[in-house]
Amino acid sequence: MRIPNEVKQVITKLNEKGFEAYIVGGCVRDLLLGKEPKDWDITTNAKPEQIQELFSESFYENNFGTVTIQTGSEESSLKEVQITPYRTEAKYTDKRHPDEIQFAEKLDEDLSRRDFTINAIAIDSKGEIIDLFNGQKDLKAKLIRTVGNPYERFNEDALRLLRAVRLATVLNFKIESTTQEAVKENSELLRAISKERIRDEFIKIIEADRAYEGILMLQELGLLKYIVPELEEGVGVEQNLHHIYTVWEHNTRALKYTAEQEYPLHVRLASLFHDIGKPRTKRGEGKYSTFYGHEVVGARMVAEIMNRLKFPNEIGETVTKLVRYHMFFYNPEEVTESSVRRLMVNVGKENMEDLLKVREADRIGSGRPKAVPYKLRHMKYIIDKVSHDPISVKMLKVNGEDVMKELTSGPGPKVGLVLNSLLAEVLDDPNKNTKEHLIQRIHELDKQSPEELKKALERIDQAVEEEEKERMKKYYV
Ligand code: ATP
Ligand code: MG
């Protein structure tokens, strides 16, 4: 078991002053699973003031009595260790917050207020394990089980309903059957939980490798309807002849693909939500039903959802745009440079790649993806093309004004010829594109005849052609 020195030192310091101190919670669970713990929590019978007295680099954080110690470690992973005094389960009248924090005298009391058996194991300074609720057994059996009566524990704090699903998803565990029954029967308690706390657990589920299994579990246990009820509207909604899956199955399978690809959160959310507007726009039944405008209706719903779950505006807007424009045309016969330019303005240049990822998820999530890699490559080729400035004299560090000034002449064909010649030279050697050098060249080129200068045009045409060939090769179109 690898316990960092910084953590050991904190425990030792507390012990030396006669206090009990244990590593506890998620980090013990992760240690026993052979995973790298994200953060380190220590519990002790010392009170916040006593902890603060011992550690100068500490701050007293919140009303849960937690004191955060700055380790001063350069090692990026371990800047802080959190010390929380033994606490007991105070009364929760609103199912959200304990009415007051109550410190406890004994480790047993602190362990018994923790949510699940696998999160209620403690380790002392010698590495000895204190496991009062058979957490290790549940770790082996891969089970999420509440400490004590699940009905009571969920009533104390309903966020635990969601934590159960989140832990099961992230760890690839099952929820033990009595605990699972209690989740189902108490799902409605989630109404009382703040959207921020719900959002944070929801994000952890969506970001998990097993996000797909997680979202199915949320639905089966009746929790999803208190998080994103709109998604449930797609359950059992059949699509038309192009689809083998219902809207719900299709949305969730799109998510599955993005998790397999390890795509970032916003792409996962956009894929999960991409067809969320279909149930509300469905016209007709069976093979020929339609869903016109589902992306517009869907985008509106998504903006609402992201807002409601208190996501920051930035990700809210991105996910909304990705859903809004996921239906872009990309048939090579239909797609034009100007239509792609318009799309880029609407979605944002920075989101184009993600939009393609959502479309890919849509395709794979349909269960029988049509063979369109060529279409997609063609689309990428057009995007590449319209994203880059074309080869032109605009690329030069000098312009027509400069040429006229240097040659003390007015406008005329000569100006264009000189600029083209400069461009031809810069195409051959981009290092030559400095104002200083080009100005010098203007005077030298001035001595050449128009016929000589015109040779540059061939060179430019050739460069344009080469660039196009390169791009076609790159996208294999
Ligand atoms: P993570 O890997 O996300 O940090 P974690 O289990 O460590 O998971 P934290 O929110 O860091 O979750 O909580 C640390 C510990 O505090 C938990 O392991 C558990 O013992 C206890 N705990 C957290 N939230 C609750 C809760 N709502 N009810 C009871 N105990 C909780
Ligand atoms: Mg933790």
Side-chain angles (χ1 to χ4, degrees):
M1 247 184 308
R2 211 193 81 84
I3 299 165
N5 283 331
E6 291 90 337
V7 176
K8 283 187 194 154
Q9 281 160 12
V10 170
I11 296 179
T12 309
K13 202 160 174 179
L14 282 160
N15 287 163
E16 279 168 4
K17 294 286 164 183
F19 296 114
E20 299 171 9
Y22 300 87
I23 312 170
V24 73
C27 54
V28 172
R29 176 197 72 217
D30 291 344
L31 265 184
L32 294 174
L33 287 171
K35 293 186 183 180
E36 184 77 30
K38 281 199 297 289
D39 36 42
W40 293 86
D41 295 309
I42 290 170
T43 189
T44 176
N45 61 350
K47 297 291 180 294
E49 310 76 50
Q50 296 171 314
I51 302 168
Q52 278 177 298
E53 251 171 57
L54 274 179
F55 301 92
S56 53
E57 295 291 302
S58 67
F59 58 91
Y60 183 41
E61 205 175 18
N62 54 32
N63 52 359
F64 292 108
T66 297
V67 177
T68 302
I69 309 295
Q70 310 290 328
T71 60
S73 162
E74 289 300 306
E75 219 182 305
S76 61
S77 54
L78 229 175
K79 289 226 161 59
E80 294 180 353
V81 175
Q82 305 217 311
I83 309 181
T84 307
Y86 293 162
R87 278 165 39 200
T88 159
E89 192 58 67
K91 260 195 276 133
Y92 288 80
T93 38
D94 60 357
K95 300 181 178 50
R96 278 194 288 184
H97 307 288
D99 295 345
E100 59 196 20
I101 49 160
Q102 249 172 34
F103 296 128
E105 297 306 320
K106 292 206 160 61
L107 176 66
D108 316 12
E109 294 175 83
D110 184 83
L111 294 182
S112 57
R113 61 108 185 156
R114 292 179 181 269
D115 49 7
F116 304 109
T117 60
I118 60 167
N119 284 345
I121 308 170
I123 297 180
D124 73 9
S125 61
K126 297 182 210 78
E128 196 164 315
I129 296 174
I130 296 94
D131 180 10
L132 307 176
F133 306 101
N134 290 321
Q136 293 173 96
K137 202 171 137 228
D138 285 338
L139 275 178
K140 284 218 179 65
K142 293 176 169 266
L143 285 177
I144 307 293
R145 182 198 313 266
T146 52
V147 170
N149 181 322
Y151 293 84
E152 286 170 14
R153 304 312 309 282
F154 291 137
N155 268 279
E156 285 164 359
D157 179 4
L159 188 73
R160 291 171 188 159
L161 297 160
L162 212 45
R163 284 178 56 89
V165 175
R166 189 259 288 185
L167 287 164
T169 303
V170 171
L171 300 174
N172 192 9
F173 277 29
K174 290 219 153 40
I175 303 178
E176 175 277 329
S177 65
T178 312
T179 299
Q180 172 156 314
E181 272 316 298
V183 172
K184 267 190 192 165
E185 285 177 35
N186 289 288
S187 60
E188 205 189 334
L189 297 175
L190 213 51
R191 280 187 199 279
I193 300 300
S194 81
K195 297 299 184 209
E196 288 87 349
R197 290 178 86 201
I198 290 183
R199 174 202 60 207
D200 290 346
E201 293 299 323
F202 183 63
I203 289 176
K204 286 182 183 168
I205 292 172
I206 299 296
E207 284 185 329
D209 290 346
R210 295 167 47 82
Y212 171 70
E213 288 79 3
I215 202 95
L216 294 194
M217 204 188 307
L218 283 179
Q219 203 265 330
E220 280 157 18
L221 298 181
L223 297 174
L224 188 62
K225 57 175 166 294
Y226 303 107
I227 308 172
V228 190
E230 295 90 342
L231 267 176
E232 286 210 324
E233 294 173 20
V235 173
V237 175
E238 302 283 347
Q239 307 196 61
N240 53 30
L241 74 169
H242 301 299
H243 297 267
I244 55 176
Y245 294 129
T246 64
V247 173
W248 161 256
E249 288 166 340
H250 174 55
N251 276 329
T252 52
R253 278 161 201 271
L255 168 69
K256 185 174 200 274
Y257 174 77
T258 61
E260 284 162 5
Q261 298 297 311
E262 298 183 20
Y263 286 156
L265 178 66
H266 62 282
V267 175
R268 296 186 187 205
L269 288 170
S271 300
L272 174 63
F273 295 155
H274 79 282
D275 275 351
I276 205 165
K278 275 190 165 177
R280 296 188 190 179
T281 52
K282 183 169 180 177
R283 298 287 173 269
E285 270 307 321
K287 276 188 190 172
Y288 300 104
S289 48
T290 63
F291 303 92
Y292 294 123
H294 74 270
E295 70 276 27
V296 179
V297 171
R300 238 180 272 138
M301 293 165 71
V302 169
E304 222 278 304
I305 293 164
M306 297 297 283
N307 220 351
R308 192 176 65 221
L309 290 177
K310 312 260 191 245
F311 274 93
N313 286 338
E314 198 186 334
I315 182 170
E317 282 165 20
T318 306
V319 173
T320 302
K321 277 187 202 163
L322 291 174
V323 171
R324 172 64 184 82
Y325 295 104
H326 80 271
M327 293 293 287
F328 65 86
F329 284 113
Y330 66 163
N331 284 335
E333 316 85 66
E334 287 168 295
V335 59
T336 61
E337 285 180 31
S338 65
S339 70
V340 173
R341 244 182 232 114
R342 227 175 307 128
L343 181 64
M344 277 171 77
V345 169
N346 286 328
V347 192
K349 207 171 171 171
E350 67 286 2
N351 295 321
M352 282 305 278
E353 264 187 51
D354 291 337
L355 185 69
L356 294 178
K357 287 178 180 157
V358 172
R359 187 60 170 267
E360 192 68 30
D362 179 0
R363 215 166 67 73
I364 306 293
S366 74
R368 48 172 188 201
K370 288 181 234 141
V372 290
Y374 168 74
K375 289 195 208 174
L376 210 59
R377 286 202 312 275
H378 180 265
M379 182 72 183
K380 285 182 184 168
Y381 154 80
I382 304 276
I383 292 170
D384 187 329
K385 199 164 173 174
V386 304
S387 314
H388 288 93
D389 293 328
I391 290 176
S392 88
V393 293
K394 288 205 186 101
M395 293 160 54
L396 295 172
K397 290 280 191 271
V398 295
N399 57 25
E401 302 272 316
D402 297 316
V403 177
M404 288 187 280
K405 205 175 112 209
E406 292 302 318
L407 301 183
T408 53
S409 73
K414 182 88 182 235
V415 178
L417 288 174
V418 169
L419 283 173
N420 281 333
S421 296
L422 293 175
L423 177 59
E425 291 179 14
V426 166
L427 287 170
D428 279 333
D429 182 0
N431 290 326
K432 290 185 174 161
N433 196 7
T434 66
K435 189 147 186 173
E436 205 187 2
H437 174 80
L438 295 180
I439 283 177
Q440 182 199 324
R441 286 297 292 152
I442 289 172
H443 294 283
E444 291 163 12
L445 289 167
D446 187 33
K447 300 184 186 107
Q448 294 188 9
S449 69
E451 284 67 34
E452 263 178 294
L453 288 175
K454 270 184 192 156
K455 285 184 191 150
L457 288 175
E458 266 174 51
R459 173 67 192 100
I460 295 169
D461 283 346
Q462 190 197 341
V464 170
E465 224 170 274
E466 273 168 16
E467 189 196 51
E468 179 66 3
K469 267 196 200 140
E470 274 300 305
R471 185 176 285 124
M472 290 175 77
K473 214 166 88 190
K474 179 170 168 197
Y475 295 98
Y476 199 56
V477 293

